[in-house]
Amino acid sequence: MSKQEFQTEVSQLLQLIVHSLYSHPEIFLRELISNSSDALDKLRHLSISDEKYKALVGHGIESPRIDLELDEAAKTLKLSDTGIGMNEEDLVAHLGTIARSGTKNFLSQLSGDARKDSNLIGQFGVGFYSVFMVADKVEVISRKAGEEKSFKWTSDGKTGFELEEVSGAEARQSAGTTILIHFNDEGAQYANGWRLQEIVKKYSNHIAFPIFLTYDKSDWDAEKKESVKTRTTEQVNAASAMWRRSKSELADDDYKELYKSISGDWDDPLVWFHTRAEGTLEYTTLFYIPSKAPLDLYQADYKGGVKLYVKRVFIMDDSKELLPQYLRFVRGIIDSEDLPLNVSREILQQNKVLTSIKTASVKKILSELKLIASNDKDKYAQFIAEYNRPLKEGVYGDFANRDTLLDLIRVKSTKAEGLTSLAEVKARMESEQKALYYITGGTESMLRNSPLLEIYKKKGIEVLILDDEIDEIVFSQVPQYDGTDLKSVNKSSVSEDFKDDATPEKTAERAEELKPLLEKIKATLGEAVKDVRASSRLADSPSVIVSDEDEPSARMRQMMQAMGQKGLPEVQPTLEINPDHEIIRKLLADPSNGRVEDAAWLLFDQALLLEGVPLKDPATFVQRLNRVLNQSI
């Protein structure tokens, strides 16, 4: 026997759970049954797809089932399954540590709100530990399929755990796991057959494997005129794949409990979509949108939330091939009649049946979201608050559904309170407006006060405020929305939309007048800029920087560097100056003045700062600024 201590994170977790982290202690049974169901799913799949395990059916692998055996007098509950089982290493990995990558960080996410924090535990797949809310001792005996040895894991949930090999009557005779729960005072209420039946029907009725309860059933003996207890075994769940049933047979509570079981979430889902497809392909899908974004939504090692079944047989629950990455927040089930039972991850990537199911599923999810956006604006606002950014990722990567995704995303703008849709922005276009305009590259406050917006404010034209750091990458790939051009105000070419109606002769005369100053500023700034030219987009500011159509902005280059991209070419923005600004007019009066050089650099540096780009040489900037201040005082 070896005595081992829990990993630090497990000890912290157990301490939280013991102090009633879950607001409903009864869910310990839901968590344990869910784990057993997963173990049965995995073994059933192997028994069908792997010859090694096929040969063991009936010889170490028994029919799939879950058994609950209650001893009211001893206040113990034994939960057994005939699933995949665990060996010594598995018991340490699954019950002594929190093995999943990223899970160690979840303790820092805890808020102190019992309801929210219980949701975190479910999401992170550590629900087994909830048993210590109702138990002062837990024994786990397990035998892994294909192996002969049984191992026993014992813990009080406080001091660590003991692990030993067991044999004889104590060992399991077939693959699977047995959990013996010794109820504490809090858990004594669950040492009751009727109570256990109630909990199973409430939380686990949909489990596709039969759940049997053995208990002392009380019956009234008419002759003796007293209640007589008889040891009885009864199946206490429906044991049907709920998603295969007709929608008309299911209540909202059925959907909600299935969601909580497959997702580990404590809260109800925001919405769900249940579809049965018949024809060339036959399959059933049941998709859920969580009310809160999964905690690993933006982690590279996020866990896929859709389970794949073939003819009700579980295949896998962690494939990222079942839905596109931008829909990684979706939870649910795909059950196909046409895929092979021995399908592998490699086959999934190239399988035409799954590709067709995936394509149809994406269209179904997006079309349902469009309906919600039209018919239930409050619910859609909840959805957007959690998932607007993943939808934008879809705009970038899913060309086939780009038009639908553009309708679904929401953006900020200069004319709307809160968020607005692109369709609403288009409906508000001015009669002479040539395109839909947007600005990227900084915080909302910085963008709203950018000099680039001056001409649009003056003309009453709405501009989209795209302050999400991925917006520039996304919208640079979207040339149009619903037949209308989408243009970035950060780009130099957009100024063509606002050139005045002056005669060619007057325009040429103005250009000739500005030429000496523009040449002087360009010569002063040298390689720091690609060009210097007069601006038609500025009203109040003296200068601004813009980039060419095919070039990233200075802000974008900064972000790409922060992401680790090296060897990026230096950005050479174009500096635009406002010929009507007082500073420019004074410089124009004497372009040969020695002060023009300091002024040129200050005009350029302030334009960079307004774009949120840090200066390369702040010390020189301060010296130059002090020089100009000294001359002007």
Side-chain angles (χ1 to χ4, degrees):
M1 180 184 295
S2 65
K3 175 79 174 177
Q4 300 184 39
E5 293 196 0
F6 285 120
Q7 180 192 32
T8 305
E9 287 78 16
V10 175
S11 297
Q12 291 176 269
L13 176 62
L14 286 166
Q15 194 171 13
L16 286 164
I17 289 175
V18 168
H19 289 86
S20 301
L21 189 58
Y22 278 105
S23 52
H24 296 80
E26 66 186 25
I27 59 82
F28 83 92
L29 191 56
R30 180 191 76 182
E31 297 294 328
L32 296 182
I33 290 175
S34 179
N35 289 345
S36 289
S37 176
D38 288 344
L40 289 164
D41 272 332
K42 288 170 183 174
L43 184 56
R44 183 165 68 169
H45 176 229
L46 289 171
S47 300
I48 293 170
S49 61
D50 190 313
E51 293 298 328
K52 170 189 170 184
Y53 291 93
K54 279 184 185 178
L56 293 173
V57 175
H59 304 281
I61 293 179
E62 304 301 329
S63 299
R65 60 185 283 163
I66 298 170
D67 283 277
L68 304 174
E69 187 176 341
L70 175 64
D71 186 332
E72 290 188 39
K75 293 185 180 178
T76 62
L77 175 65
K78 184 185 292 183
L79 186 152
S80 300
D81 66 63
T82 54
I84 188 73
M86 293 176 280
N87 58 22
E88 186 174 18
E89 291 76 19
D90 295 331
L91 285 165
V92 173
H94 296 315
L95 305 186
T97 64
I98 303 178
R100 185 180 153 205
S101 176
T103 304
K104 293 180 182 180
N105 298 325
F106 90 97
L107 286 168
S108 64
Q109 306 272 353
L110 296 171
S111 65
D113 182 308
R115 186 177 181 83
K116 291 179 182 176
D117 292 344
S118 66
N119 181 29
L120 292 181
I121 285 188
Q123 284 193 33
F124 275 101
V126 288
F128 166 79
Y129 303 117
S130 63
V131 71
F132 287 106
M133 286 187 299
V134 297
D136 50 26
K137 181 182 178 183
V138 176
E139 299 171 61
V140 179
I141 299 174
S142 195
R143 173 180 167 182
K144 192 165 188 174
E147 299 183 12
E148 297 295 327
K149 294 180 178 179
S150 293
F151 293 92
K152 181 179 180 180
W153 180 99
T154 308
S155 178
D156 60 3
K158 298 173 185 175
T159 59
F161 59 93
E162 294 176 351
L163 190 59
E164 61 182 317
E165 184 181 345
V166 291
S167 57
E170 199 172 9
R172 283 191 59 98
Q173 302 307 304
S174 61
T177 299
T178 300
I179 302 173
L180 180 61
I181 302 165
H182 298 263
F183 287 121
N184 57 21
D185 291 341
E186 170 74 19
Q189 59 181 305
Y190 302 111
N192 177 286
W194 177 84
R195 188 82 170 90
L196 293 175
Q197 288 185 62
E198 181 187 49
I199 295 170
V200 171
K201 290 183 184 299
K202 180 178 180 181
Y203 293 113
S204 306
N205 201 43
H206 65 276
I207 294 293
F209 304 101
I211 302 173
F212 295 95
L213 173 63
T214 300
Y215 68 110
D216 294 325
K217 185 177 182 179
S218 296
D219 290 305
W220 181 256
D221 189 317
E223 290 184 11
K224 296 182 178 180
K225 295 184 179 181
E226 62 182 23
S227 181
V228 178
K229 289 189 175 182
T230 309
R231 196 69 173 165
T232 306
T233 299
E234 297 176 349
Q235 184 171 331
V236 288
N237 71 322
S240 65
M242 194 202 87
W243 58 90
R244 300 291 290 258
R245 292 161 61 190
S246 168
K247 287 189 276 189
S248 61
E249 298 177 26
L250 300 170
D252 284 357
D253 285 344
D254 294 322
Y255 283 110
K256 291 173 183 177
E257 290 309 327
L258 176 61
Y259 166 73
K260 290 173 182 176
S261 175
I262 64 175
S263 69
D265 199 346
W266 181 250
D267 294 323
D268 290 338
L270 182 65
V271 69
W272 57 85
F273 321 121
H274 190 184
T275 305
R276 172 74 179 166
E278 295 178 327
T280 309
L281 294 177
E282 289 190 30
Y283 60 90
T284 301
T285 59
L286 175 54
F287 296 124
Y288 294 94
I289 309 292
S291 56
K292 294 291 182 183
L295 292 167
D296 61 355
L297 186 63
Y298 298 111
Q299 292 180 2
D301 63 343
Y302 72 90
K303 192 176 188 301
V306 176
K307 297 175 182 283
L308 176 64
Y309 287 76
V310 174
K311 298 172 184 172
R312 305 187 190 185
V313 177
F314 171 79
I315 303 298
M316 62 185 70
D317 62 358
D318 58 353
S319 173
K320 298 179 181 179
E321 304 298 325
L322 302 178
L323 287 177
Q325 186 173 354
Y326 71 89
L327 291 177
R328 59 189 177 276
F329 55 85
V330 175
R331 301 292 182 253
I333 289 164
I334 294 174
D335 191 349
S336 169
E337 294 291 321
D338 303 291
L339 284 168
L341 284 167
N342 63 345
V343 66
S344 66
R345 284 177 174 76
E346 292 70 32
I347 293 173
L348 279 181
Q349 294 173 5
Q350 304 166 7
N351 187 275
K352 291 181 179 178
V353 171
L354 187 65
T355 299
S356 297
I357 294 174
K358 179 178 178 179
T359 300
S361 295
V362 172
K363 290 188 179 300
K364 174 64 176 177
I365 292 169
L366 298 184
S367 65
E368 291 286 348
L369 290 174
K370 280 193 78 170
L371 284 174
I372 296 171
S374 300
N375 303 328
D376 192 338
K377 295 193 180 300
D378 289 341
K379 181 171 283 188
Y380 195 69
Q382 282 182 266
F383 169 78
I384 282 295
E386 300 293 328
Y387 305 113
N388 202 28
R389 179 166 173 165
L391 291 186
K392 290 179 183 177
E393 295 173 23
V395 171
Y396 179 81
D398 187 355
F399 183 80
N401 293 294
R402 178 172 288 173
D403 290 344
T404 303
L405 287 160
L406 284 170
D407 283 330
L408 290 172
I409 63 170
R410 295 293 182 262
V411 294
K412 299 169 185 172
S413 94
T414 55
K415 283 193 174 181
E417 288 289 329
L419 298 174
T420 187
S421 68
L422 293 180
E424 291 167 336
V425 176
K426 183 176 178 180
R428 293 193 290 264
M429 285 178 70
E430 299 293 324
S431 57
E432 299 299 317
Q433 191 173 330
K434 297 178 180 179
L436 291 173
Y437 300 101
Y438 65 87
I439 183 170
T440 62
T443 63
E444 181 181 356
S445 174
M446 183 185 297
L447 296 180
R448 288 190 182 278
N449 292 292
S450 171
L452 291 167
L453 297 186
E454 290 174 1
I455 189 67
Y456 301 92
K457 292 176 181 176
K458 185 176 179 181
K459 292 182 176 289
I461 294 174
E462 186 169 10
V463 178
L464 309 181
I465 305 295
L466 304 182
D467 60 338
D468 197 318
E469 59 187 17
I470 69 168
D471 282 337
E472 184 171 345
I473 300 173
V474 171
F475 279 83
S476 65
Q477 302 299 309
V478 185
Q480 288 190 331
Y481 169 72
D482 193 24
T484 301
D485 288 344
L486 269 168
K487 294 185 177 182
S488 169
V489 305
N490 308 71
K491 301 300 182 182
S492 57
S493 62
V494 177
S495 61
E496 296 294 321
D497 292 357
F498 299 100
K499 287 201 169 176
D500 56 35
D501 299 324
T503 63
E505 293 80 8
K506 187 173 181 181
T507 301
E509 181 183 329
R510 186 72 179 275
E512 192 63 31
E513 178 189 3
L514 290 167
K515 186 177 179 181
L517 179 60
L518 296 176
E519 289 178 345
K520 176 69 173 179
I521 295 175
K522 177 67 176 80
T524 300
L525 299 178
E527 295 298 314
V529 294
K530 176 176 283 188
D531 195 11
V532 180
R533 57 184 173 221
S535 178
S536 59
R537 72 179 89 212
L538 294 173
D540 303 314
S541 300
S543 63
V544 72
I545 58 168
V546 294
S547 55
D548 287 347
E549 255 349 278
D550 57 347
E551 291 181 338
S553 67
R555 180 82 174 188
M556 172 55 63
R557 185 180 183 278
Q558 188 183 346
M559 192 175 85
M560 291 164 74
Q561 284 179 321
M563 292 167 63
Q565 294 196 33
K566 298 178 180 179
L568 295 171
E570 284 293 327
V571 172
Q572 281 187 300
T574 294
L575 178 67
E576 290 189 358
I577 60 171
N578 180 1
D580 297 319
H581 196 278
E582 185 177 1
I583 292 174
I584 305 302
R585 289 205 305 270
K586 287 181 178 179
L587 294 174
L588 197 57
D590 186 6
S592 62
N593 192 309
R595 297 182 183 180
V596 171
E597 289 190 11
D598 278 343
W601 279 108
L602 287 173
L603 288 169
F604 179 60
D605 286 344
Q606 72 169 1
L608 287 173
L609 289 171
L610 286 170
E611 278 288 296
V613 179
L615 302 180
K616 290 183 179 179
D617 191 354
T620 301
F621 168 74
V622 170
Q623 290 172 5
R624 191 175 287 123
L625 182 61
N626 288 337
R627 228 175 8 247
V628 171
L629 282 172
N630 187 49
Q631 291 166 354
S632 64
I633 293 174

